[in-house]
Amino acid sequence: MEDRLGIGVSFDIGYRTINVLGRDVDFYYVNGLVDTRFVMRILENIVEINDVESERDKVEDIVKNRLVNHQFESLDSYENAMTEVMSGLLVVFVDGFDQAFVVDVRNYPGRSPDEPDTERVVRGSRDGYTENIIQNAGLTRRRVRDEHFRLEIQQVGKRSQMDVALMYIDDIADPNLIETVRSEIDKIDVDGLSMSDKTLEEYILKQGRTPFPLVRYTERPDVASAHLFEGHVLILVDTTPTVMITPTTFFHHVQHAEEYRQVPLVGTFVRWIRFLGIFASLFLLPLWLLFVMEPERLPENLGYIGPSEEGNVPIVVQALMADLGLEFLRIAAIHTPTAVSTALGLIAAVLIGEIAIDVGLFTPEIILYVAIAAVGSYATPSYELSVANKIARIALVILTASMGVIGFVLGSTLYVLLLARTYSLNTPYLWPLIPFNPSAMYHILFRVSVPFAEQRPSIVHPQNQKRTKPN
């Protein structure tokens, strides 16, 4: 243990030997991952054995009974004992005994379950997942109090031994889907999950060249629980506050918890506004560019669209520069300390924008339409989808500038075809639009009252289609 754990070299590895009735009892733990109070209590209990016990031939049983904890197990594998120590558990060896005792005294450092910044709601719970897998499991279990709820945990990565948990409801989720996800995780052969959930996603989904997200990430326990009740399989990775939802479609990425925290009519209104914003983020800028290049296609009452002066820079270059400029500002805002991020926004909005127009670099209309497209991107609930749509928008602008209306139609068609040919764990990405499912599509377009939404989504192949629990 001294050689393998680096005792005496790594300052955070704790080691203590206590002589109990003439036998050595060794304790191994990682200081930063255990609750010191529990460790001290257990050590006190072991030391007291010498004062109250005398049967030397039963040291193993006596020590075992004194390891008072709600989670306790025995191990006969040296490698498993090593993994448990590095995971934050207390491992106890009794001299002459061929098993190790493992006591769960973990106390991972972390933050409290605050509301996620990217999934805020006006009404609803304010708790969110953290970087602690035990805490995250508890947040989910609190909402899914079902004896069929399963949390399978395993370690992934030869060196990282990262905890990865599968979450599903046993009598709802499709067994084939569960086995598919489980087998893909078992196949992972790598030193460690350096970027935790994102690295795991790339091994499971084998995304290839498509920029569109094939899993949905959420930091909200209520959103995760809702998908569990639908029959999805969720993946929880230690050290990350996000949960992966599988399988997902395009329309999973355009829904938000706020829609279900309002009455159905208001939720539908919010959903349609969000759809409009997503559509604008993708097609507004290239469509405006097409009308500027071919003004004869505009109706007479829309003749005001387009710059009154040509400007010093070609209009397509202006569009690309403004679009990429906003991306520069977004990246800069991420890396800017909060205290000066407001100042950065003022500089961008007032100085750069106004001066660029005054010197003739941009026309005012370019700033307007690029800003509307950017707002539409921020209205997209899924950050990954908004970035993918941004790439698609730039490609549409280039194709429209190159070939006019043919380029716009070609780019739009390729966009739809790419989505139609994309699959997430054998699930069509554009379902229920392609293949078309009228009932499911109605639930996408309109926020239906929960009592009337009796059927689970058929695309996940749930074992029982109705949301009511079988007798």
Side-chain angles (χ1 to χ4, degrees):
M1 291 293 286
E2 180 178 352
D3 294 338
R4 295 290 296 273
L5 288 177
I7 297 174
V9 179
S10 298
F11 73 92
D12 62 332
I13 302 296
Y15 166 65
R16 180 70 188 272
T17 297
I18 297 177
N19 188 276
V20 179
L21 302 178
R23 303 263 291 275
D24 286 341
V25 180
D26 296 338
F27 297 82
Y28 297 91
Y29 52 90
V30 178
N31 279 309
L33 302 180
V34 299
D35 192 319
T36 305
R37 296 171 301 171
F38 292 156
V39 175
M40 291 299 298
R41 178 66 183 275
I42 290 173
L43 290 177
E44 290 173 359
N45 290 344
I46 298 301
V47 170
E48 290 176 355
I49 293 176
N50 290 316
D51 299 328
V52 298
E53 300 286 351
S54 59
E55 299 185 53
R56 295 175 177 269
D57 57 339
K58 296 183 179 180
V59 173
E60 298 88 353
D61 293 334
I62 295 172
V63 170
K64 181 178 179 179
N65 290 333
R66 289 300 183 108
L67 296 175
V68 180
N69 194 273
H70 63 289
Q71 286 194 344
F72 172 90
E73 64 175 321
S74 300
L75 295 178
D76 55 10
S77 168
Y78 179 79
E79 294 299 329
N80 289 342
M82 293 286 298
T83 301
E84 300 290 14
V85 173
M86 304 311 295
S87 298
L89 285 81
L90 175 67
V91 175
V92 183
F93 290 97
V94 179
D95 185 25
F97 188 53
D98 60 359
Q99 288 188 331
F101 302 131
V102 180
V103 185
D104 190 349
V105 292
R106 283 177 288 194
N107 183 28
Y108 290 156
R111 55 188 174 89
S112 60
D114 299 323
E115 183 178 15
D117 290 333
T118 56
E119 296 180 271
R120 293 185 179 274
V121 293
V122 178
R123 296 280 186 271
S125 60
R126 304 296 177 186
D127 57 347
Y129 287 125
T130 68
E131 289 76 13
N132 187 329
I133 191 172
I134 304 298
Q135 198 170 45
N136 293 344
L139 289 170
T140 310
R141 179 75 71 173
R142 185 180 178 187
R143 290 170 169 82
V144 187
R145 302 179 182 182
D146 187 347
E147 69 271 18
H148 296 286
F149 178 43
R150 300 291 180 261
L151 267 162
E152 297 182 11
I153 193 167
Q154 62 187 104
Q155 285 72 43
V156 178
K158 294 179 180 178
R159 297 183 184 274
S160 69
Q161 292 291 312
M162 187 70 72
D163 288 329
V164 176
L166 285 187
M167 299 194 298
Y168 59 91
I169 299 179
D170 193 34
D171 61 341
I172 296 179
D174 179 17
N176 293 327
L177 174 61
I178 299 171
E179 182 57 34
T180 298
V181 177
R182 186 190 293 128
S183 63
E184 290 295 333
I185 294 176
D186 290 339
K187 293 177 185 176
I188 297 176
D189 184 15
V190 67
D191 279 348
L193 302 181
S194 55
M195 293 298 167
S196 56
D197 54 350
K198 187 59 185 175
T199 305
L200 190 73
E201 176 201 338
E202 293 180 2
Y203 272 101
I204 295 175
L205 275 301
K206 302 175 180 62
Q207 190 162 12
R209 299 179 181 179
T210 176
F212 298 101
L214 300 183
V215 299
R216 180 182 177 183
Y217 290 98
T218 184
E219 296 182 42
R220 296 188 60 90
D222 50 358
V223 173
S225 302
H227 284 83
L228 284 170
F229 292 130
E230 288 182 351
H232 291 265
V233 175
L234 278 56
I235 304 174
L236 187 61
V237 184
D238 195 19
T239 74
T240 180
T242 53
V243 166
M244 289 191 292
I245 301 172
T246 63
T248 55
T249 67
F250 177 87
F251 297 102
H252 280 100
H253 297 277
V254 299
Q255 296 181 357
H256 192 269
E258 179 65 26
E259 300 163 8
Y260 294 90
R261 294 292 184 176
Q262 305 293 338
V263 297
L265 185 60
V266 175
T268 300
F269 172 76
V270 172
R271 182 175 293 184
W272 277 72
I273 293 297
R274 184 172 289 113
F275 287 167
L276 181 61
I278 296 171
F279 183 85
S281 72
L282 187 60
F283 295 108
L284 181 63
L285 187 59
L287 190 61
W288 174 81
L289 179 63
L290 174 64
F291 289 143
V292 170
M293 294 174 56
E294 303 179 13
E296 67 276 4
R297 298 185 181 278
L298 274 171
E300 291 185 5
N301 57 346
L302 296 178
Y304 59 86
I305 292 179
S308 55
E309 299 179 2
E310 188 161 326
N312 302 323
V313 180
I315 200 71
V316 62
V317 177
Q318 292 185 39
L320 291 174
M321 288 178 60
D323 208 359
L324 294 176
L326 275 179
E327 189 66 14
F328 290 154
L329 292 173
R330 183 192 66 81
I331 295 173
I334 293 175
H335 301 294
T336 303
T338 305
V340 295
S341 60
T342 303
L344 174 66
L346 291 174
I347 292 172
V350 179
L351 294 181
I352 298 178
E354 288 295 327
I355 293 174
I357 292 174
D358 290 342
V359 301
L361 186 62
F362 292 139
T363 59
E365 269 193 274
I366 279 288
I367 301 297
L368 172 64
Y369 288 105
V370 169
I372 294 175
V375 171
S377 295
Y378 295 136
T380 307
S382 168
Y383 170 74
E384 292 81 11
L385 180 61
S386 70
V387 176
N389 281 342
K390 194 171 299 183
I391 296 173
R393 180 175 71 233
I394 293 174
L396 273 173
V397 167
I398 295 174
L399 283 172
T400 302
S402 303
M403 296 182 285
V405 67
I406 296 177
F408 180 80
V409 173
L410 177 63
S412 302
T413 304
L414 289 176
Y415 176 81
V416 175
L417 287 176
L418 178 60
L419 292 177
R421 290 176 60 85
T422 300
Y423 287 81
S424 171
L425 293 176
N426 301 320
T427 301
Y429 200 59
L430 277 185
W431 183 92
L433 182 61
I434 302 175
F436 186 65
N437 185 313
S439 175
M441 196 65 204
Y442 180 84
H443 284 73
I444 294 294
L445 296 176
F446 301 96
R447 205 295 243 175
V448 179
S449 180
V450 174
F452 295 102
E454 296 181 350
Q455 300 291 321
R456 295 188 174 92
S458 60
I459 195 64
V460 294
H461 307 293
Q463 295 185 56
N464 53 78
Q465 195 68 40
K466 286 189 174 293
R467 292 180 183 270
T468 55
K469 187 174 180 179
N471 295 326

